[in-house]
Amino acid sequence: MTDVSTQFELMVISGSASLQETLATLDSVALISVPTTARALSLLDGDWLPGAVYVEDTLRGTLDDVWAIVRAAMRRQVRVVVNLQGRGAGRASEFQAAGATVIDARTPDAVADQVSKALGTRRRAHSEAIMVAVTAVKGGVGKTLLTAMLAEGLRQRGVSVLVIDNDISNSGIRPTFRIPSTAPTYTGLLGDGLGMAAWTPERLRSCIYQHRESGLDFLLGPEEMVEAIHDLDSKNFYAFLHAVRQLSGYQVLLFDTSPEIVRRPAPYIVGREGGWLVLPAPPSRKERTGVLNLLRALRHNPGDDLTGRTLLVGMEPERGVVSSLSTALPLFAREAPSARLLGTLVHDPRTVSLADAGEQGYRSPLTVVPHGRFARSVHDIVDALAHEIGLTTPLAKPRSTLLDRLFRARPVAPAGVAMDGRKVAA
């Protein structure tokens, strides 16, 4: 039997590119990806032998093909791990009797954990950071504003946050935080011609932009519309995600994702990998329909219902809008009973625009009116988020006394801006 305590080769017979990228996190293991059972049988009958074989019963073909691989490997004294999650699930005892190690994992992370245990190796450790992806299927619903306020609110609670700009076709993070065009981009690593080998913790760390005004760190997408060479498909995002999770020093990894989730399914991947999904939920008809469609898609996600890891934030409508959250929220609850409501983000365009109006760089809306309704709603949502995801914050929620609300809730305009938002001469 091959000694797996040193460098060895693992033959992987799977059609899942994301699984192969996850298995690449195993220490002292070189992956040999084999696309078909016929090719695997040919290799097992040849002169070269792998240290171990991973095969699953979700491959095209029959269960007899899986049996053929197991028998060929055992005949050559090669260790075999069989993942039974489909048509072979009821025959685990037969595979075990043949000498194979049987697992029943569905997500790539779970597979890697069980394969690692079966082979006596280790995975390169992920950080303990909690992943949170803010997502929507429609632009203009407040997704980037919500991402920014969650990041700011967590930072004010003493939490170290890495903000990942994953809306790479139309980034709102850069203009929101007034990040200069000279800031590095992680998508630029794809232009080096390294393919998925570009995604290493060391290379990503060189791309982190430290935002002095907010105290937040960022991994930024491109400032302009992304070129095809710099896009992240599922395979690349899995590799990128695993490299990000090896970055130390952060308690929360906060993703601002693209509404094009069919083309860029980052929210699904973050959810499958144990992260949390936060959905801005406006009540108006078009936006409400988008939320319902997304909840439905998350509920019917292949393998796992992701609504149990989904958190809603009600978005207070503008004045004059007849649709109300009191009408919309029961619809969301009926579609996804497992999803939870974090609270309601107050609609306060005046505070947001005042923060954006100054000439002296970025200013947080939370500091413009620190005791106003908007800031209080953000802190309440952050408090609920921390509770739901099991995050202990070093600092308590900022307090607003009745005196604060009555006499200290007046906006403090930035230099060069009048209280109505007009720019004035110095």
Side-chain angles (χ1 to χ4, degrees):
M1 197 72 72
T2 302
D3 179 8
V4 296
S5 63
T6 58
Q7 178 76 28
F8 74 105
E9 293 168 312
L10 173 64
M11 178 189 291
V12 178
I13 310 154
S14 169
S16 171
S18 59
L19 172 61
Q20 294 166 28
E21 293 308 312
T22 308
L23 289 174
T25 65
L26 300 180
D27 266 339
S28 303
V29 173
L31 295 188
I32 307 297
S33 178
V34 181
T36 65
T37 54
R39 176 59 178 159
L41 289 171
S42 174
L43 290 172
L44 288 169
D45 285 336
D47 295 332
W48 168 82
L49 287 178
V53 173
Y54 168 86
V55 62
E56 55 193 29
D57 65 347
T58 56
L59 290 167
R60 292 180 180 177
T62 67
L63 197 58
D64 288 340
D65 295 325
V66 178
W67 269 115
I69 291 171
V70 171
R71 292 188 181 108
M74 299 307 298
R75 187 169 59 249
R76 303 294 302 274
Q77 294 188 312
V78 175
R79 184 177 299 190
V80 186
V81 179
V82 184
N83 190 6
L84 300 179
Q85 51 177 295
R87 52 188 178 269
R91 302 178 64 180
S93 59
E94 298 176 40
F95 281 97
Q96 289 170 334
T101 300
V102 176
I103 64 174
D104 60 352
R106 292 183 179 273
T107 67
D109 246 4
V111 172
D113 286 340
Q114 293 192 34
V115 169
S116 172
K117 182 178 179 181
L119 299 181
T121 187
R122 298 176 299 176
R123 294 186 65 185
R124 291 189 291 275
H126 287 151
S127 72
E128 297 299 320
I130 299 172
M131 297 184 294
V132 178
V134 184
T135 185
V137 294
K138 185 179 183 300
V141 298
K143 175 179 63 67
T144 298
L145 174 64
L146 179 58
T147 303
M149 292 304 96
L150 290 178
E152 286 272 25
L154 288 166
R155 181 194 58 78
Q156 289 195 11
R157 302 290 295 274
V159 177
S160 55
V161 182
L162 177 63
V163 182
I164 298 104
D165 177 15
N166 189 240
D167 190 359
I168 57 179
S169 62
N170 188 23
S171 172
I173 288 292
R174 279 180 177 269
T176 295
F177 285 91
R178 298 194 179 191
I179 296 173
S181 59
T182 54
T185 68
Y186 67 85
T187 51
L189 296 178
L190 286 174
D192 294 342
L194 297 175
M196 286 185 293
W199 307 123
T200 67
E202 296 75 22
R203 289 172 65 84
L204 285 179
R205 189 167 289 282
S206 70
C207 297
I208 291 175
Y209 177 76
Q210 296 180 320
H211 191 251
R212 181 178 55 82
E213 294 91 336
S214 67
L216 296 165
D217 284 1
F218 291 84
L219 278 173
L220 297 163
E223 186 175 27
E224 300 178 352
M225 296 292 284
V226 67
E227 297 180 14
I229 192 174
H230 294 158
D231 207 350
L232 288 184
D233 56 13
S234 295
K235 185 166 66 173
N236 265 297
F237 185 78
Y238 263 111
F240 167 74
L241 182 63
H242 287 293
V244 169
R245 295 179 69 187
Q246 293 177 56
L247 294 172
S248 60
Y250 300 105
Q251 293 170 273
V252 172
L253 304 175
L254 184 62
F255 296 80
D256 183 33
T257 67
S258 169
E260 301 175 271
I261 60 174
V262 174
R263 179 181 173 188
R264 302 184 179 102
Y268 293 106
I269 296 172
V270 169
R272 290 171 193 154
E273 293 293 308
W276 296 85
L277 308 180
V278 176
L279 276 60
S284 55
R285 183 180 59 82
K286 289 183 180 179
E287 287 79 6
R288 181 176 68 211
T289 300
V291 175
L292 290 169
N293 288 339
L294 181 52
L295 289 172
R296 193 171 298 118
L298 294 171
R299 185 159 57 86
H300 295 291
N301 172 65
D304 293 293
D305 176 357
L306 295 179
T307 58
R309 306 192 68 80
T310 298
L311 307 169
L312 298 174
V313 174
M315 306 296 282
E316 185 180 65
E318 300 178 22
R319 289 184 180 181
V321 174
V322 296
S323 301
S324 67
L325 285 171
S326 61
T327 301
L329 292 178
L331 298 177
F332 302 148
R334 194 175 306 127
E335 182 62 50
S338 300
R340 274 94 75 199
L341 179 68
L342 293 180
T344 299
L345 184 64
V346 166
H347 181 71
D348 189 354
R350 184 165 181 255
T351 294
V352 174
S353 63
L354 274 173
D356 191 51
E359 299 287 354
Q360 305 301 317
Y362 174 75
R363 192 175 187 216
S364 170
L366 299 184
T367 63
V368 172
V369 193
H371 301 289
R373 290 181 64 239
F374 179 81
R376 297 201 310 271
S377 73
V378 170
H379 293 309
D380 287 343
I381 290 167
V382 168
D383 208 46
L385 174 66
H387 174 76
E388 289 290 348
I389 66 179
L391 174 68
T392 300
T393 60
L395 303 177
K397 180 172 71 173
R399 295 181 57 192
S400 290
T401 65
L402 180 60
L403 184 65
D404 291 328
R405 299 178 191 182
L406 289 176
F407 300 105
R408 297 173 185 167
R410 179 179 174 83
V412 179
V417 178
M419 291 309 301
D420 60 1
R422 292 180 294 105
K423 294 181 180 179
V424 296

